[in-house]
Amino acid sequence: MQIHAENREKVKIIVVASCVVFAILMIVALIVSLVGLASANQRKSRLERQLREINAQIERNSSDIAYYQSSDYIEMMAREYLNMKGEGEIVFIGKK
C-alpha cells in the first residue's frame, strides 16, 4: 500500500505543478494581450488625430478650390497674367 500512496503523492505533485505552469502561462498570455491592447489604443488615438487633421486640410482645400473656381479669381488671373480686359473696358497703353 505504501507504493500506492507514493504514486498518489507523485500524481498530486504532477497535477499541482501542471496547474501552476498553466496558471503562469495564462498570466503571461494576459500580460501580452494587455500590452497589445494598449499599443492598439495608442495607434487608434494617433490615427484618429491624423484623420481630424486630414479632414481639416480637406475643408481648407475645398474652400480654396471654390475660390479658384470663382469668376473673381479667374478674372483676376486673366487680367494679371494674360493681359486680358473685361467686357466694355477701354485699355490705355502708356509710352515706353
Side-chain angles (χ1 to χ4, degrees):
M1 288 288 192
Q2 189 173 358
I3 294 175
H4 202 358
E6 286 178 14
N7 284 342
R8 280 185 184 218
E9 282 300 314
K10 287 181 182 179
V11 169
K12 283 182 184 179
I13 292 172
I14 291 172
V15 168
V16 169
S18 297
C19 289
V20 169
V21 169
F22 180 73
I24 291 171
L25 288 175
M26 293 305 290
I27 291 170
V28 169
L30 178 63
I31 291 170
V32 168
S33 295
L34 290 175
V35 168
L37 181 61
S39 174
N41 283 336
Q42 287 176 347
R43 179 169 161 75
K44 179 184 174 191
S45 296
R46 187 174 63 249
L47 290 173
E48 286 173 342
R49 182 175 29 84
Q50 286 178 345
L51 179 62
R52 286 191 302 273
E53 291 170 1
I54 289 170
N55 284 334
Q57 183 66 43
I58 288 171
E59 188 64 35
R60 287 190 300 272
N61 290 344
S62 295
S63 63
D64 288 348
I65 289 171
Y67 171 67
Y68 295 144
Q69 291 175 340
S70 71
S71 59
D72 291 339
Y73 177 79
I74 293 171
E75 184 177 335
M76 188 257 323
M77 293 303 285
R79 288 174 189 272
E80 189 172 326
Y81 293 104
L82 301 175
N83 295 323
M84 298 179 83
K85 65 177 184 146
E87 218 176 292
E89 291 182 338
I90 299 172
V91 176
F92 293 97
I93 300 174
K95 290 185 179 181
K96 292 186 181 184

